[in-house]
């Protein structure tokens, strides 16, 4: 009996040692959706939860998991999770984010914590006296302590850091990534390009520096990071128009940045993209998903779900009681079900 028990225990330990990694670190592409709400009403800081801003419910996550999405990008505001730079993290805000992370873990989802601040804290850019670069590293080291599970949590360092000078953002990103690794973080880390992080202008120089120049040498000793790019389909790539560029043009944009990433030995993640539900835009959406299907792409998250968008937001895909799924969902579900 003792020998049988020992053998069973040894067998269990072997199974644990060879257990498949969690969704954030597995071999499957990360394919999912942004669930907006935590970043709403930046003029009201910290604001009132469920009045000025909100977080998704477990039911929200379950709906997208049932559609076979495996990733949720969760926007939040730095000012809400850390009320003063360098201070302890706010326990109440951490609790709300933790509820989402725990629900995601139960559903087998990777939850990307997306600091949705555009390179600002309290209206001040990174690298200014009010928000020195070490303050940015500090908040992510604290978030690493609060969310230590790299299997089910990934870190999106900063959404579209357009309000921070390019050089300052490049330094902040590299210094924070290096500090996270030095502190023992094994998380997938998504590093946004400077500016609006557009795929279409990745190689365009601004003040003498392009994202291609700046991030070709991003150094991650674990090689567990990816560069986050965004690409909306309207003509100026702003995500504000209902029209869409041709599928061929979209495919060319993604191929060009993908070729650069492969040559630079970098990986890419398409963090935001969205289209209106017109036949023309749905064709462009299909081309976009096909273009981000294979290496160096590691996945994508569509913009956006979130119960507070309501039925009028043209890019919205959140389910609305009594209404059929949005037209974009049929295209996304087909890709979610693709191995």
């Amino acid at each position: 009996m003792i020998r049988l028990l020992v053998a069973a225990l040894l067998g269990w330990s072997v199974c644990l040692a060879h257990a498949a990694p969690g969704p954030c670190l597995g071999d499957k592409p990360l394919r999912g959706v942004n669930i907006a709400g935590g970043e709403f009403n930046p003029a009201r800081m910290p604001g009132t939860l469920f009045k000025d801003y909100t977080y998704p419910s477990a039911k929200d996550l379950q709906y997208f998991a049932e559609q076979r999405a495996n990733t949720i990008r969760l926007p939040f505001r730095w000012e809400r999770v850390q009320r003063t730079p360098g201070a302890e993290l706010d326990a109440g805000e951490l609790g709300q984010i933790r509820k989402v992370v725990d629900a995601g873990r139960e559903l087998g989802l990777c939850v990307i914590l997306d600091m949705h601040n555009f390179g600002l804290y309290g209206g001040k850019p990174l690298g200014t006296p009010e928000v020195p670069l070490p303050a940015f590293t500090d908040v992510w080291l604290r978030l690493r302590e609060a969310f230590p599970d790299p299997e089910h949590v990934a870190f999106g360092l900063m959404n579209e850091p357009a309000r921070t000078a390019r050089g300052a953002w490049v330094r902040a990103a590299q210094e924070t990534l290096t500090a996270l690794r030095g502190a023992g973080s094994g998380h997938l880390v998504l590093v946004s390009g400077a500016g609006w992080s557009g795929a279409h202008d990745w190689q365009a120089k601004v003040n003498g520096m392009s994202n291609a120049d700046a991030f070709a040498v991003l150094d991650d000793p674990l090689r567990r990071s990816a560069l986050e790019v965004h690409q909306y389909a309207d003509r100026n790539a702003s995500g504000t128009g209902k029209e869409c560029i041709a599928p061929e043009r979209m495919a060319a944009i993604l191929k060009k940045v993908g070729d650069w990433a492969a040559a630079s030995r970098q990986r890419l993640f398409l963090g935001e993209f969205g289209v209106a539900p017109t036949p023309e835009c749905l064709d462009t959406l299909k081309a976009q998903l096909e273009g981000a299907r294979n290496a160096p792409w590691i996945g994508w998250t569509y913009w956006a779900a979130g119960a507070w968008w309501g039925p009028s937001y043209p890019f919205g895909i959140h389910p609305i009681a009594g209404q059929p799924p949005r037209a974009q969902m049929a295209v996304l579900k087909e890709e979610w079900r693709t191995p």
Side-chain angles (χ1 to χ4, degrees), residues 225-313:
S225 57
L227 295 168
E228 182 179 318
V229 302
H230 294 178
Q231 188 60 45
Y232 286 95
D234 46 347
R235 291 187 181 91
N236 63 1
S238 65
T240 59
K242 297 181 182 180
E243 82 288 348
C244 288
I245 61 175
E248 296 80 10
R249 184 178 172 193
M250 178 62 74
I253 289 170
L254 296 187
K255 183 178 186 305
K256 184 176 181 180
V257 72
D259 288 347
W260 169 86
S264 303
R265 300 185 65 195
Q266 300 291 348
R267 302 191 301 168
L268 296 173
F269 182 78
L270 187 59
E272 286 187 22
F273 60 103
V275 301
T278 64
E280 295 79 10
C281 285
L282 295 179
D283 286 342
T284 300
L285 177 59
K286 291 176 185 177
Q288 198 160 22
L289 296 177
E290 290 171 2
R293 185 177 290 167
N294 300 313
W297 299 95
I298 68 166
W300 47 263
T301 43
Y302 179 89
W303 186 274
W308 281 17
W309 287 121
S312 62
Y313 183 51

Side-chain angles (χ1 to χ4, degrees), residues 135-176:
F136 181 68
T137 299
D138 170 80
V139 69
W140 275 110
L141 289 175
R142 293 177 188 274
L143 286 165
R144 183 204 69 85
E145 293 180 2
F147 299 98
D149 174 15
E151 303 284 350
H152 296 89
V153 177
F155 296 155
L157 294 186
M158 177 66 72
N159 177 74
E160 298 179 351
R163 305 306 185 191
T164 288
R166 289 200 164 209
W169 169 242
V170 174
R171 291 194 303 274
Q174 182 64 73
E175 290 172 7
T176 300

Side-chain angles (χ1 to χ4, degrees), residues 11 33 95 99 182 210 234 261:
V33 62
K99 287 180 182 179
S210 71
D234 46 347

Side-chain angles (χ1 to χ4, degrees), residues 20-25 98 101-102 104-106 108-113 143-155 184-188 224:
C24 292
L25 301 182
R98 189 168 286 115
V101 168
D102 291 346
R105 183 182 294 109
E106 291 295 319
L109 296 169
C110 175
V111 177
I112 300 168
L113 304 185
L143 286 165
R144 183 204 69 85
E145 293 180 2
F147 299 98
D149 174 15
E151 303 284 350
H152 296 89
V153 177
F155 296 155
S185 168
H187 299 76
L188 169 66
R224 199 173 282 179

Side-chain angles (χ1 to χ4, degrees), residues 45 48 66 108-109 139 201 243 316:
M45 286 293 175
T48 301
E66 288 172 350
L109 296 169
V139 69
D201 62 357
E243 82 288 348

Side-chain angles (χ1 to χ4, degrees), residues 41-58:
N41 282 314
R44 299 181 64 85
M45 286 293 175
T48 301
L49 182 63
F50 304 128
K51 177 182 178 183
D52 298 313
Y53 67 106
T54 189
Y55 287 108
S57 67

